[in-house]
Amino acid sequence: FAGAFLFLRFICPAIVFPETNSIIDSSITLALLQRISLMLISKVLQNLANGRQFREDYMKPLNDDFFTPNLPLFSDFFEFITSFDEINETKEECAHLATKKEINLVELPHIYRVMYKQMDKISEQLHLIGSNHLVPELASLLAFLHRHTS
């Protein structure tokens, strides 16, 4: 659930609208085909995050060739991002875990900036779905990212 939420609210919107999420310069205008390609990439990732195979005929070939082989990687990723026993782990320990789980720590500063800017919206969404208890954990995560990306 947490992983699907992360993809739904942060990763997929950043993929589809990179210019509004400070991934590319905001003066860049993407062509229609580029935007459609980004939307399809986002759709594939969101389906993986939800653990749901494609039902659309044009997407079904991806079920066996892409979805099934990559689902365990997504499960490992979600387990990794939700299983910090202590928030004060060192950067080296995190780098070791990231290498093991194939997560790129170079992206932490960007993830931190996006999450920090959107903290009010994230808190609202967590409140709406009855997950207020996750707000302090998210604040701890942001504090961790701040310490290790500054």
Side-chain angles (χ1 to χ4, degrees), residues 19-88:
E19 68 280 7
T20 60
N21 289 285
S22 301
I23 295 172
I24 62 172
D25 191 274
S26 61
S27 65
I28 296 173
T29 303
L30 297 175
L32 180 60
L33 188 56
Q34 291 171 316
R35 183 79 65 197
I36 291 170
S37 297
L38 293 174
M39 290 172 71
L40 287 172
I41 290 167
S42 174
K43 178 179 181 62
V44 169
L45 292 175
Q46 188 63 55
N47 273 44
L48 271 167
N50 293 335
R52 304 214 185 240
Q53 290 192 338
F54 298 104
R55 290 182 250 156
E56 302 91 344
D57 288 337
Y58 71 97
M59 298 293 283
K60 281 183 180 178
L62 291 175
N63 286 338
D64 291 333
D65 297 336
F66 186 80
F67 183 88
T68 302
N70 287 294
L71 190 57
L73 293 174
F74 261 63
S75 296
D76 288 348
F77 171 71
F78 294 149
E79 183 180 327
F80 173 75
I81 65 172
T82 59
S83 67
F84 281 102
D85 292 329
E86 293 183 28
I87 203 66
N88 295 324

